[in-house]
């Protein structure tokens, strides 16, 4: 880390525990939206009649929109200085719209479009795309205020707590269909209709997203331009003037920005193939069915929700541990987390026992925490206070692009591999191993 970076970091004050809690609490609701999408999208789309070979189209739309919206939001918010804050106005716009879409999405099969009809597929595709777009609008400000306001000494703690609240929301979101089923709410429905367990899970998630986001908005006070410039050791004019184009910023991006992108490419393909194919793989290997309308397939969907909650618990506990690790050990824990993720993927792909799959997802939780925390911690340690929002937005391309690449590859790989969802997960395992090895190329602070 160069001397100017050290000097700038030393001027950022330590934040109080109250501020840290308020800054990170809203992540609970945001991750409920993402968790419901990750754990239930495959189930919803197959329930309304989507062929498994076409699932890739539904998983292309969200990252494509995320890849576009987060760089725009980052660049736009870098120059947004209002009495409500710099990043917070975007939360005030994004949260209510996300709530509306979350209410509409699970009713895809309830409007009489018809099982497998083009109208049902188009409606679902639009709803999924809009949900991801505005969930990204909600997510980005949380990352950006951490880059704006947190010094290097507190980065591990703040990023960890942000993820801890995220996983708390993820645990609740993932368990909701299973718990609602146990409470007697119908977990099956007419052909092409989403079960009420899923519908109510989305409605509850929407309400909590709105409440928790507003808690952050009204309790975090961002720095004004003069204070921001002082704490980051830059001229106030530089803060308020129009920022360079994204292309110019990319040409000046720190070395770690590009090195991290390589790791992101392979790690996110691994994650995406787990999201897409785990329910189908377990339905065949454990419940011995490939029929999306069968009770066994819906049971696999519920169990995957339980597994998602379980990995969220493991991730939360790992986050408490990681928050206390040293600043100079980030690469070590990055590699450990990615390897744990790889091991979990191969076990879930092959096991015929639902309890083994559940236990394996403890390792997936460690990996998921790592992938959602370490790249951003390392990147913000390499930035200098200028254009942080734009760089974080641009960096989100390397979260979204791998998912698009993985989706496109799936149209070729899935039929070539005999339409085996388990084998697609094995491809994800190999990709995650490559990501683990790639950590060695990263130069933090450069």
């Amino acid at each position: 880390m160069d001397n100017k970076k050290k000097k700038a970091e030393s001027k950022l004050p330590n934040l109080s525990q109250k501020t840290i809690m308020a800054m990170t609490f809203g992540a609970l609701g945001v991750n409920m939206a993402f968790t419901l999408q990750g754990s239930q999208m495959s189930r919803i789309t197959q329930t309304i009649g989507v062929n498994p070979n076409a699932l890739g189209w539904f998983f292309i739309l969200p990252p494509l929109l995320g890849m576009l919206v987060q760089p725009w939001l980052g660049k736009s918010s870098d120059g947004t200085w209002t009495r409500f804050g710099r990043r917070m106005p975007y939360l005030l716009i994004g949260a209510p719209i996300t709530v509306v879409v979350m209410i509409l999405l699970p009713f895809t099969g309830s409007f009489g479009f018809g099982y497998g009809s083009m109208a049902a597929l188009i409606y679902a595709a639009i709803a999924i795309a809009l949900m991801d777009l505005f969930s990204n609008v909600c997510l980005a400000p949380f990352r950006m205020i951490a880059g704006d306001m947190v010094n290097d000494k507190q980065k591990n703690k703040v990023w960890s707590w942000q993820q801890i609240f995220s996983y708390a929301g993820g645990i609740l979101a993932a368990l909701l269909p299973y718990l609602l089923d146990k409470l007697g709410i119908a977990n099956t429905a007419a052909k092409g209709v989403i079960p009420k367990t899923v519908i109510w899970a989305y409605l509850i998630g929407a309400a909590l997203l709105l409440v928790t986001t507003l808690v952050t908005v009204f309790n975090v006070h961002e720095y004004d331009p003069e204070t921001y410039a002082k704490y980051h050791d830059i001229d106030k004019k530089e803060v308020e003037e129009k920022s360079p184009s994204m292309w110019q910023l990319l040409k000046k991006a720190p070395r770690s920005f590009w090195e991290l992108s390589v790791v992101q490419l392979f790690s996110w393909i691994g994650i995406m193939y787990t999201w897409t194919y785990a329910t189908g793989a377990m339905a065949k290997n454990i419940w011995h069915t490939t029929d999306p309308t069968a009770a066994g397939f819906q049971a696999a969907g519920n169990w995957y929700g339980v597994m998602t909650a379980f990995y969220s618990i493991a991730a939360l506990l790992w986050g408490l541990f990681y928050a206390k690790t040293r600043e100079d050990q980030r690469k070590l824990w990055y590699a450990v987390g990615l390897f744990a993720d790889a091991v979990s993927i191969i076990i879930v792909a092959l096991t015929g026992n639902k309890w083994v799959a559940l236990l394996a997802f403890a390792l997936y939780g460690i990996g998921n925490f790592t992938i959602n925390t370490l790249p951003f911690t390392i990147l913000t340690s390499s930035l200098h206070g200028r254009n942080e929002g734009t760089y974080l937005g641009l960096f989100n391309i390397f979260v979204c692009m791998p998912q698009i690449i993985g989706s496109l590859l799936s149209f070729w790989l899935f039929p070539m591999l005999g339409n085996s969802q388990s084998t697609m997960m094995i491809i994800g395992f190999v990709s995650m191993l490559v990501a683990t090895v790639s950590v060695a190329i990263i130069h933090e602070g450069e």
Side-chain angles (χ1 to χ4, degrees):
M1 188 179 293
D2 61 39
N3 291 332
K4 186 168 185 178
K5 177 63 176 173
K6 289 180 180 178
K7 183 180 178 183
E9 286 289 5
S10 68
K11 288 191 174 184
L12 278 166
N14 285 332
L15 300 175
S16 68
Q17 186 62 38
K18 179 181 178 181
T19 299
I20 290 173
M21 293 293 284
M23 177 183 291
T24 56
F25 181 64
L28 185 150
V30 175
N31 199 46
M32 287 195 74
F34 280 108
T35 300
L36 285 169
Q37 178 176 293
S39 65
Q40 300 299 322
M41 189 178 0
S42 179
R43 176 184 184 178
I44 288 172
T45 52
Q46 292 187 67
T47 297
I48 65 172
V50 177
N51 187 305
N53 194 41
L55 285 178
W57 290 114
F58 287 85
F59 284 85
I60 283 177
L61 288 170
L64 179 61
L65 289 170
M67 187 174 70
L68 296 174
V69 73
Q70 287 218 27
W72 168 82
L73 191 147
K75 193 172 191 308
S76 179
S77 64
D78 274 346
T80 301
W81 298 97
T82 73
R83 64 188 183 91
F84 298 106
R86 190 184 189 191
R87 317 295 183 183
M88 295 304 166
Y90 296 88
L91 276 177
L92 284 170
I93 295 170
I97 298 177
T98 306
V99 166
V100 171
V101 179
M102 287 181 72
I103 292 171
L104 293 175
L105 174 58
F107 289 99
T108 302
S110 303
F111 296 125
F113 293 130
Y115 179 79
S117 70
M118 184 59 67
L121 304 189
I122 291 173
Y123 179 93
I126 292 173
I128 289 168
L130 289 175
M131 180 174 169
D132 195 82
L133 189 156
F134 288 102
S135 295
N136 272 285
V137 172
C138 292
L139 174 64
F142 288 100
R143 291 174 174 170
M144 292 170 188
I145 58 173
D148 291 342
M149 300 177 66
V150 182
N151 63 34
D152 201 57
K153 182 180 178 181
Q154 291 187 311
K155 279 192 192 302
N156 283 11
K157 182 177 183 179
V158 170
W159 283 100
S160 294
W161 273 102
Q162 189 175 108
Q163 287 305 309
I164 286 167
F165 279 121
S166 290
Y167 288 117
I171 292 165
L172 178 58
L175 278 177
L176 275 173
Y178 182 83
L179 294 175
L180 292 168
D181 179 26
K182 295 302 179 184
L183 290 173
I185 295 176
N187 192 50
T188 57
K191 186 175 182 179
V193 177
I194 310 302
K196 288 185 178 179
T197 50
V198 177
I199 292 174
W200 276 105
Y202 269 81
L203 296 179
I204 293 169
L208 288 174
L209 168 64
L210 185 61
V211 171
T212 57
T213 300
L214 291 177
V215 168
T216 295
V217 168
F218 292 114
N219 287 279
V220 174
H221 306 289
E222 298 181 76
Y223 299 137
D224 57 64
E226 184 175 349
T227 305
Y228 185 89
K230 179 181 73 173
Y231 286 158
H232 285 274
D233 196 31
I234 54 181
D235 193 290
K236 182 185 175 184
K237 291 181 180 179
E238 293 183 63
V239 174
E240 295 181 311
E241 68 185 9
K242 185 178 179 180
S243 64
S245 69
M246 291 188 191
W247 177 246
Q248 289 174 313
L249 290 175
L250 279 174
K251 291 192 290 185
K252 298 177 181 179
R255 180 177 180 179
S256 61
F257 179 92
W258 301 109
E259 293 164 344
L260 284 163
S261 71
V262 176
V263 184
Q264 291 283 81
L265 170 64
F266 292 103
S267 59
W268 276 98
I269 287 176
I271 287 178
M272 188 207 156
Y273 281 179
T274 304
W275 285 347
T276 310
Y277 299 109
T279 297
M282 290 192 302
K284 182 177 181 180
N285 296 339
I286 301 172
W287 280 270
H288 310 295
T289 182
T290 57
D291 180 6
T293 66
F297 188 92
Q298 297 301 328
N302 274 3
W303 191 249
Y304 185 68
V306 174
M307 289 167 58
T308 302
F310 185 71
Y311 92 63
S312 297
I313 295 171
L316 189 154
L317 295 174
W318 186 256
L320 293 172
F321 161 76
Y322 175 75
K324 299 179 180 179
T325 60
R326 298 204 317 259
E327 301 160 34
D328 60 353
Q329 294 180 328
R330 288 170 183 154
K331 283 180 61 176
L332 168 65
W333 295 117
Y334 197 4
V336 168
L338 293 176
F339 183 72
D341 208 320
V343 173
S344 72
I345 294 171
I346 192 67
I347 292 174
V348 174
L350 300 177
T351 186
N353 186 301
K354 70 177 185 178
W355 297 104
V356 172
L358 180 68
L359 292 174
F361 251 43
L363 295 175
Y364 189 83
I366 293 172
N368 196 272
F369 171 87
T370 300
I371 292 166
N372 284 288
T373 305
L374 271 294
F376 300 98
T377 308
I378 292 172
L379 177 61
T380 55
S381 296
S382 305
L383 299 175
H384 300 266
R386 300 179 185 86
N387 310 301
E388 295 226 6
T390 308
Y391 276 121
L392 283 168
L394 288 168
F395 188 65
N396 193 63
I397 291 173
F398 304 119
V399 174
C400 301
M401 183 62 77
Q403 297 176 58
I404 295 171
I405 293 172
S407 292
L408 293 174
L409 285 174
S410 72
F411 296 125
W412 168 65
L413 286 171
F414 190 65
M416 187 186 76
L417 298 173
N419 297 326
S420 170
Q421 298 194 49
S422 294
T423 307
M424 291 299 290
M425 289 188 68
I426 294 173
I427 299 296
F429 158 73
V430 173
S431 186
M432 195 66 74
L433 284 181
V434 175
T436 303
V437 175
S438 299
V439 172
I441 69 174
I442 298 170
H443 293 79
E444 183 176 3
E446 298 180 27

